Amino acid sequence: MKSAFALFLLVSTFTFAQSTIEQDITNIEEKLIKWRRHFHQNPELSNQEFKTAEKIADHLKSLGLEVETGIAITGVVGLLKGDLPGKVVALRADIDALPVTERNDLPFKSEVKTTFLNTETGVMHACGHDTHIAILMATAEVLSKHKDKIKGTIKFIFQPAEEGPPPGEEGGAKLMIKEGVLDNPKVDAIFGLHINAGTPVGVIKYKKGGIMASVERFVIDVKGKQTHGSQPWGGVDPILISAKIIDGLQTIISREAKLTDEAAVITVGKITAGTRFNIIPETAQLIGTVRTLDPDMRSMIERRMKEMTETIAKAYGGEATISFRNQTSITFNDPDLTDKMLPSLQKAAGTENVQLMKATTGGEDFSYFQEVVPGIYFFLGGMTSTDEPKGAFPHHTPDFMIDESGMLLGVKAFTQLTLDYLNN
Ligand SMILES: [Zn+2]
Ligand SMILES: [Zn+2]
């Protein structure tokens, strides 16, 4: 009995010391879910993720990582140095929630309320960034136990304000880069993921090149000449010019953009002009968005929008100017890096579960990191078992729901990508 116990002790000590990465990943699931529920119940809006950041930083410090806080207001970065010298890889999670009032009936439902842009609203992790935080915390914990197997350095980037900083504020990936998050040590490659409510658990979706669109907001100011509505010949009609400009802009997409290469979208979402029925006003304003997935198409479309806007207005005797404000760049998966790392995703999920996807015309500010260093961004299945892909509640809605059992594959994929990138 006594010797059997001693043997058990010996075996268990040995197993612990030799615990494999696979075992550590499996064992972390309970914590992973606990963390996700904590963040789900305590969501914070963009640039206000103070308590979220504190919990992340405490965790990283407890793992013995070098931790830096307050980057881009609430961002947290943890540095894990492997025992052997090598490259630097960054893993990124976004940490902000949205002004959405949760309608799910969960024991860890968010009851948080706030005022956002003068409107009373709930706060909810309605994009699933709570899962991203938990996945990256778990990945950090797993990898920190295997420093002896790591050739190089891992930078864990917890990024605020992915959904966009409040009006008048800077934030997100752009500000983190400005504050040097990709330097010292200089990052060689970056990986990021997004949980997806419409993708089955166990599945990873990816695409080489543009996977998500660049998001530009544009404003066109049209200047005419005011006159009586009954005597249009006495002025220049900015409303007519606006109509011609809208028409012209759509021909850039339908006649000039090579849509067999990638999709592109121009949308005019808002028109403002005039005061009453019998006045031709002085000015008009058009506000809209452009979405592109290819850098060359992006510059062609923006150049042609400017030319069309100015020349069409001129042709009708008026003037028009266009200005662009970039919200995200193209989330562009470096083709060589994607080819090189595809086997790692397949090892993590099983070859048949790593599926090629079409690009989406939504945007993601992970794109700014990819403008500086090669990176890969992919989607992780999180569809609840009761949903059909088309029936799943979309991200950013009060009924948005994630199946937590999908998260562990995120840890596996991040771990596999990191070790394979650094060690091969
Ligand atoms: Zn979102
Ligand atoms: Zn998101």
PDB file of all heavy atoms in Angstrom, residues 124 126-127 197-198 389-401:
ATOM      1  N   MET A 124     -22.585  45.297 -23.754  1.00  0.00           N
ATOM      2  CA  MET A 124     -22.548  43.840 -23.968  1.00  0.00           C
ATOM      3  C   MET A 124     -21.345  43.452 -24.823  1.00  0.00           C
ATOM      4  O   MET A 124     -20.985  44.166 -25.758  1.00  0.00           O
ATOM      5  CB  MET A 124     -23.839  43.418 -24.679  1.00  0.00           C
ATOM      6  CG  MET A 124     -23.920  41.938 -25.027  1.00  0.00           C
ATOM      7  SD  MET A 124     -25.368  41.586 -26.066  1.00  0.00           S
ATOM      8  CE  MET A 124     -25.086  39.852 -26.421  1.00  0.00           C
ATOM      9  N   ALA A 126     -21.056  41.939 -27.429  1.00  0.00           N
ATOM     10  CA  ALA A 126     -21.918  41.472 -28.519  1.00  0.00           C
ATOM     11  C   ALA A 126     -21.130  41.183 -29.790  1.00  0.00           C
ATOM     12  O   ALA A 126     -21.718  40.944 -30.837  1.00  0.00           O
ATOM     13  CB  ALA A 126     -23.006  42.502 -28.793  1.00  0.00           C
ATOM     14  N   CYS A 127     -19.787  41.227 -29.694  1.00  0.00           N
ATOM     15  CA  CYS A 127     -18.978  40.834 -30.858  1.00  0.00           C
ATOM     16  C   CYS A 127     -18.124  39.613 -30.507  1.00  0.00           C
ATOM     17  O   CYS A 127     -17.433  39.074 -31.343  1.00  0.00           O
ATOM     18  CB  CYS A 127     -18.105  41.991 -31.332  1.00  0.00           C
ATOM     19  SG  CYS A 127     -17.569  41.801 -33.054  1.00  0.00           S
ATOM     20  N   ALA A 197     -20.184  33.564 -34.928  1.00  0.00           N
ATOM     21  CA  ALA A 197     -21.442  32.947 -34.497  1.00  0.00           C
ATOM     22  C   ALA A 197     -22.101  32.145 -35.606  1.00  0.00           C
ATOM     23  O   ALA A 197     -23.022  31.375 -35.353  1.00  0.00           O
ATOM     24  CB  ALA A 197     -22.399  34.022 -33.992  1.00  0.00           C
ATOM     25  N   GLY A 198     -21.622  32.297 -36.839  1.00  0.00           N
ATOM     26  CA  GLY A 198     -22.229  31.584 -37.954  1.00  0.00           C
ATOM     27  C   GLY A 198     -21.367  30.441 -38.477  1.00  0.00           C
ATOM     28  O   GLY A 198     -21.671  29.841 -39.495  1.00  0.00           O
ATOM     29  N   PRO A 389     -26.378  27.984 -39.681  1.00  0.00           N
ATOM     30  CA  PRO A 389     -25.509  29.109 -40.058  1.00  0.00           C
ATOM     31  C   PRO A 389     -26.294  30.368 -40.401  1.00  0.00           C
ATOM     32  O   PRO A 389     -25.912  31.478 -40.063  1.00  0.00           O
ATOM     33  CB  PRO A 389     -24.765  28.570 -41.281  1.00  0.00           C
ATOM     34  CG  PRO A 389     -24.741  27.098 -41.091  1.00  0.00           C
ATOM     35  CD  PRO A 389     -26.026  26.748 -40.374  1.00  0.00           C
ATOM     36  N   LYS A 390     -27.441  30.203 -41.097  1.00  0.00           N
ATOM     37  CA  LYS A 390     -28.184  31.386 -41.500  1.00  0.00           C
ATOM     38  C   LYS A 390     -29.083  31.902 -40.386  1.00  0.00           C
ATOM     39  O   LYS A 390     -29.567  33.027 -40.439  1.00  0.00           O
ATOM     40  CB  LYS A 390     -28.999  31.084 -42.753  1.00  0.00           C
ATOM     41  CG  LYS A 390     -28.114  31.103 -43.987  1.00  0.00           C
ATOM     42  CD  LYS A 390     -28.900  31.241 -45.276  1.00  0.00           C
ATOM     43  CE  LYS A 390     -27.969  31.437 -46.449  1.00  0.00           C
ATOM     44  NZ  LYS A 390     -27.965  30.377 -47.418  1.00  0.00           N
ATOM     45  N   GLY A 391     -29.329  31.057 -39.363  1.00  0.00           N
ATOM     46  CA  GLY A 391     -30.244  31.459 -38.299  1.00  0.00           C
ATOM     47  C   GLY A 391     -29.529  32.082 -37.116  1.00  0.00           C
ATOM     48  O   GLY A 391     -30.161  32.660 -36.240  1.00  0.00           O
ATOM     49  N   ALA A 392     -28.193  31.962 -37.069  1.00  0.00           N
ATOM     50  CA  ALA A 392     -27.441  32.478 -35.915  1.00  0.00           C
ATOM     51  C   ALA A 392     -27.636  33.991 -35.816  1.00  0.00           C
ATOM     52  O   ALA A 392     -27.617  34.682 -36.826  1.00  0.00           O
ATOM     53  CB  ALA A 392     -25.962  32.160 -36.075  1.00  0.00           C
ATOM     54  N   PHE A 393     -27.828  34.466 -34.594  1.00  0.00           N
ATOM     55  CA  PHE A 393     -27.966  35.911 -34.419  1.00  0.00           C
ATOM     56  C   PHE A 393     -26.645  36.580 -34.768  1.00  0.00           C
ATOM     57  O   PHE A 393     -25.588  36.151 -34.314  1.00  0.00           O
ATOM     58  CB  PHE A 393     -28.372  36.234 -32.984  1.00  0.00           C
ATOM     59  CG  PHE A 393     -29.794  35.866 -32.687  1.00  0.00           C
ATOM     60  CD1 PHE A 393     -30.094  34.767 -31.886  1.00  0.00           C
ATOM     61  CD2 PHE A 393     -30.841  36.615 -33.214  1.00  0.00           C
ATOM     62  CE1 PHE A 393     -31.410  34.415 -31.618  1.00  0.00           C
ATOM     63  CE2 PHE A 393     -32.161  36.269 -32.948  1.00  0.00           C
ATOM     64  CZ  PHE A 393     -32.441  35.166 -32.155  1.00  0.00           C
ATOM     65  N   PRO A 394     -26.692  37.642 -35.570  1.00  0.00           N
ATOM     66  CA  PRO A 394     -25.445  38.277 -35.996  1.00  0.00           C
ATOM     67  C   PRO A 394     -24.698  38.936 -34.825  1.00  0.00           C
ATOM     68  O   PRO A 394     -25.302  39.258 -33.799  1.00  0.00           O
ATOM     69  CB  PRO A 394     -25.912  39.353 -36.978  1.00  0.00           C
ATOM     70  CG  PRO A 394     -27.332  39.067 -37.281  1.00  0.00           C
ATOM     71  CD  PRO A 394     -27.881  38.272 -36.148  1.00  0.00           C
ATOM     72  N   HIS A 395     -23.412  39.133 -35.039  1.00  0.00           N
ATOM     73  CA  HIS A 395     -22.601  39.906 -34.094  1.00  0.00           C
ATOM     74  C   HIS A 395     -23.208  41.309 -33.995  1.00  0.00           C
ATOM     75  O   HIS A 395     -23.847  41.792 -34.926  1.00  0.00           O
ATOM     76  CB  HIS A 395     -21.163  39.997 -34.611  1.00  0.00           C
ATOM     77  CG  HIS A 395     -20.452  38.664 -34.597  1.00  0.00           C
ATOM     78  ND1 HIS A 395     -19.276  38.462 -33.928  1.00  0.00           N
ATOM     79  CD2 HIS A 395     -20.773  37.464 -35.149  1.00  0.00           C
ATOM     80  CE1 HIS A 395     -18.881  37.196 -34.089  1.00  0.00           C
ATOM     81  NE2 HIS A 395     -19.783  36.581 -34.830  1.00  0.00           N
ATOM     82  N   HIS A 396     -23.018  41.940 -32.850  1.00  0.00           N
ATOM     83  CA  HIS A 396     -23.507  43.308 -32.588  1.00  0.00           C
ATOM     84  C   HIS A 396     -25.014  43.352 -32.315  1.00  0.00           C
ATOM     85  O   HIS A 396     -25.599  44.432 -32.360  1.00  0.00           O
ATOM     86  CB  HIS A 396     -23.155  44.284 -33.733  1.00  0.00           C
ATOM     87  CG  HIS A 396     -21.682  44.565 -33.866  1.00  0.00           C
ATOM     88  ND1 HIS A 396     -21.168  45.740 -34.375  1.00  0.00           N
ATOM     89  CD2 HIS A 396     -20.601  43.816 -33.539  1.00  0.00           C
ATOM     90  CE1 HIS A 396     -19.850  45.693 -34.373  1.00  0.00           C
ATOM     91  NE2 HIS A 396     -19.485  44.523 -33.871  1.00  0.00           N
ATOM     92  N   THR A 397     -25.660  42.223 -32.064  1.00  0.00           N
ATOM     93  CA  THR A 397     -27.099  42.251 -31.763  1.00  0.00           C
ATOM     94  C   THR A 397     -27.348  41.755 -30.331  1.00  0.00           C
ATOM     95  O   THR A 397     -26.516  41.033 -29.764  1.00  0.00           O
ATOM     96  CB  THR A 397     -27.902  41.372 -32.745  1.00  0.00           C
ATOM     97  OG1 THR A 397     -27.527  39.994 -32.562  1.00  0.00           O
ATOM     98  CG2 THR A 397     -27.645  41.781 -34.197  1.00  0.00           C
ATOM     99  N   PRO A 398     -28.519  42.108 -29.736  1.00  0.00           N
ATOM    100  CA  PRO A 398     -28.793  41.766 -28.328  1.00  0.00           C
ATOM    101  C   PRO A 398     -28.886  40.271 -28.060  1.00  0.00           C
ATOM    102  O   PRO A 398     -28.736  39.835 -26.922  1.00  0.00           O
ATOM    103  CB  PRO A 398     -30.157  42.418 -28.056  1.00  0.00           C
ATOM    104  CG  PRO A 398     -30.357  43.410 -29.141  1.00  0.00           C
ATOM    105  CD  PRO A 398     -29.580  42.943 -30.325  1.00  0.00           C
ATOM    106  N   ASP A 399     -29.129  39.452 -29.098  1.00  0.00           N
ATOM    107  CA  ASP A 399     -29.276  38.004 -28.918  1.00  0.00           C
ATOM    108  C   ASP A 399     -28.026  37.232 -29.340  1.00  0.00           C
ATOM    109  O   ASP A 399     -28.027  35.998 -29.339  1.00  0.00           O
ATOM    110  CB  ASP A 399     -30.465  37.509 -29.756  1.00  0.00           C
ATOM    111  CG  ASP A 399     -31.737  38.274 -29.438  1.00  0.00           C
ATOM    112  OD1 ASP A 399     -32.274  38.090 -28.342  1.00  0.00           O
ATOM    113  OD2 ASP A 399     -32.162  39.098 -30.283  1.00  0.00           O
ATOM    114  N   PHE A 400     -26.985  37.969 -29.697  1.00  0.00           N
ATOM    115  CA  PHE A 400     -25.726  37.333 -30.126  1.00  0.00           C
ATOM    116  C   PHE A 400     -25.247  36.349 -29.054  1.00  0.00           C
ATOM    117  O   PHE A 400     -25.231  36.654 -27.865  1.00  0.00           O
ATOM    118  CB  PHE A 400     -24.676  38.417 -30.357  1.00  0.00           C
ATOM    119  CG  PHE A 400     -23.280  37.895 -30.542  1.00  0.00           C
ATOM    120  CD1 PHE A 400     -22.892  37.327 -31.744  1.00  0.00           C
ATOM    121  CD2 PHE A 400     -22.344  37.977 -29.516  1.00  0.00           C
ATOM    122  CE1 PHE A 400     -21.596  36.847 -31.922  1.00  0.00           C
ATOM    123  CE2 PHE A 400     -21.052  37.499 -29.679  1.00  0.00           C
ATOM    124  CZ  PHE A 400     -20.676  36.934 -30.886  1.00  0.00           C
ATOM    125  N   MET A 401     -24.882  35.148 -29.506  1.00  0.00           N
ATOM    126  CA  MET A 401     -24.501  34.103 -28.553  1.00  0.00           C
ATOM    127  C   MET A 401     -23.389  33.242 -29.140  1.00  0.00           C
ATOM    128  O   MET A 401     -23.380  32.967 -30.336  1.00  0.00           O
ATOM    129  CB  MET A 401     -25.733  33.237 -28.279  1.00  0.00           C
ATOM    130  CG  MET A 401     -25.527  32.131 -27.298  1.00  0.00           C
ATOM    131  SD  MET A 401     -25.919  32.624 -25.638  1.00  0.00           S
ATOM    132  CE  MET A 401     -27.629  32.094 -25.565  1.00  0.00           C
TER     133      MET A 401
END
